[in-house]
Amino acid sequence: MIRLDGVHVRHKARSGGVFRRDAVHALTDASLEVERGEIVGLVGESGCGKSTMARVLTGLQKPTEGTVAFHGKDLWEMSGTQRRDDFGSAVGVVFQDPSTALNPRLTVQQILRDPLDVHRRGTREAREARVEELLDLVGLPGHTLAALPGQLSGGQRQRVAIARALALEPELIVADEPTSALDVSVRAQVLNLLVDLRERLGLGMVFISHDIQTVRYLADRIAVLYLGRIVEEGRTADVAGAPSHPYTEALLSATPSLLETTERIVLTGPVPSATNPPAGCPFRTRCWKADDACATVFPVRTEGPDGHRWHCVHPQTPASPSGDPTPVPSARSTA
């Protein structure tokens, strides 16, 4: 449905002095595919490029290099009108904080009607019927239509934001940390709603989060980002069950799970700068496996079974032929 191929995004920063400006490497050589009806999870710590990739996927950010193809057509070779009408209506966005994503002066009814009015979908009566349908789709009562966002709970506001993203019947939803501002109990309700909508509507979805355990519950495939690069990608069972990249292993160890007992990996060493990324593997400054080979060039992509891919000179022990992860010695950072 949508494909990123060799995408680079570089922003100009003001840290380069009067006569020059440094470049912030937000994304570097990122490639990703999303199929219809598939949920792809993007995980990584703050500043790794997740939100930049969300802006690229939704057409809000033109890449510095590389291509973004929607149904095989280059997004940035389309005319502005075609990009707005064909692509804009096919992609919905759910933002991180529903309290700032919704106009506080508009009622829920006006918020849900807005995209229908902008894209001139149907008659006035058809738009009113669609608004009621959207409210029912996300499990909100009819009296919510007259409410302002400030009169709703956090979970209700996020359901309204999801309903707005679904207004134009999109093929793809990009959800940028949609549960991080919610209480734990409400978070589970929103996640279950997203899973249910995928099943009912056949939506493709990109779910962005720093919590790999949440993504593990929701996604079919996971892509792990570090300093603007995708360092590991594959089926959720492979990436979360038998990670090949040390950074993925560290992410899994940092989030508690009731199903597994993992030893916490504490990363030490300097966090690299996005304006002056280190040579070779960007994770080598914090990796307990790093050696001189990691400092030369960015590791080439290694292909495993079932589309499992990673970039690492010293990957974790691969899965055994039976499909069960081979035991990996306990790892601690000594960087």
Side-chain angles (χ1 to χ4, degrees):
M1 181 169 55
I2 191 166
R3 175 185 174 90
L4 274 59
D5 192 10
V7 166
H8 296 253
V9 174
R10 292 185 289 272
H11 303 295
K12 289 184 178 180
R14 300 194 177 192
S15 57
V18 177
F19 298 104
R20 72 177 184 87
R21 288 188 176 184
D22 290 333
V24 178
H25 297 263
L27 282 181
T28 303
D29 197 22
S31 297
L32 186 72
E33 291 182 1
V34 184
E35 297 181 2
R36 185 169 181 83
E38 177 185 44
I39 298 181
V40 176
L42 296 181
V43 295
E45 57 196 329
S46 299
C48 71
K50 303 188 301 295
S51 293
T52 299
M53 184 169 285
R55 289 195 295 271
V56 171
L57 285 165
T58 53
L60 297 175
Q61 172 78 57
K62 184 178 181 179
T64 310
E65 297 177 36
T67 59
V68 182
F70 180 65
H71 289 308
K73 297 180 180 179
D74 192 319
L75 182 63
W76 294 99
E77 289 184 356
M78 297 179 182
S79 66
T81 302
Q82 186 180 14
R83 191 163 55 245
R84 181 184 65 248
D85 294 343
D86 296 343
F87 178 74
S89 61
V91 178
V93 187
V94 181
F95 296 98
Q96 182 172 354
D97 187 357
S99 63
T100 58
L102 304 177
N103 190 327
R105 298 186 178 184
L106 299 182
T107 64
V108 170
Q109 185 173 31
Q110 292 171 312
I111 289 170
L112 297 184
R113 269 200 57 165
D114 190 47
L116 299 170
D117 292 339
V118 169
H119 286 266
R120 300 184 178 91
R121 289 291 180 91
T123 63
R124 179 183 179 88
E125 293 76 15
R127 293 174 194 175
E128 294 293 343
R130 177 61 177 164
V131 167
E132 294 179 4
E133 180 185 345
L134 289 169
L135 207 68
D136 181 63
L137 196 62
V138 297
L140 288 174
H143 64 78
T144 310
L145 288 175
L148 295 171
Q151 298 171 315
L152 303 176
S153 68
Q156 289 175 322
R157 284 196 293 264
Q158 195 61 291
R159 285 174 182 262
V160 172
I162 293 170
R164 181 180 61 180
L166 296 171
L168 299 175
E169 300 179 87
E171 299 177 51
L172 175 70
I173 293 290
V174 178
D176 189 1
E177 305 214 32
T179 60
S180 62
L182 305 177
D183 293 338
V184 174
S185 58
V186 179
R187 189 178 305 175
Q189 295 174 13
V190 172
L191 290 175
N192 288 330
L193 172 63
L194 292 173
V195 172
D196 181 55
L197 290 172
R198 191 273 292 266
E199 296 294 332
R200 293 165 64 183
L201 305 177
L203 289 169
M205 192 179 302
V206 177
F207 185 89
I208 298 170
S209 178
H210 60 275
D211 184 353
I212 195 170
Q213 296 292 357
T214 299
V215 173
R216 184 180 188 176
Y217 160 77
L218 191 70
D220 302 305
R221 285 192 300 119
I222 294 178
V224 181
L225 278 81
Y226 185 80
L227 201 68
R229 289 185 179 271
I230 296 178
V231 295
E232 185 167 4
E233 180 193 353
R235 297 186 311 171
T236 299
D238 296 330
V239 174
S244 293
H245 199 282
Y247 179 61
T248 309
E249 186 189 10
L251 282 179
L252 286 165
S253 79
T255 51
S257 171
L258 296 176
L259 303 178
E260 300 172 353
T261 302
T262 57
E263 183 178 351
R264 177 69 186 272
I265 299 172
V266 180
L267 299 177
T268 60
V271 178
S273 168
T275 59
N276 187 25
C281 176
F283 187 56
R284 66 179 177 83
T285 60
R286 304 167 73 191
C287 182
W288 61 92
K289 293 185 171 185
D291 58 19
D292 292 341
C294 303
T296 53
V297 295
F298 183 67
V300 298
R301 187 173 71 179
T302 303
E303 293 271 357
D306 299 317
H308 191 188
R309 299 183 280 267
W310 60 88
H311 296 265
C312 186
V313 177
H314 306 292
Q316 296 297 99
T317 306
S320 65
S322 65
D324 297 324
T326 302
V328 177
S330 174
R332 293 185 176 87
S333 175
T334 57

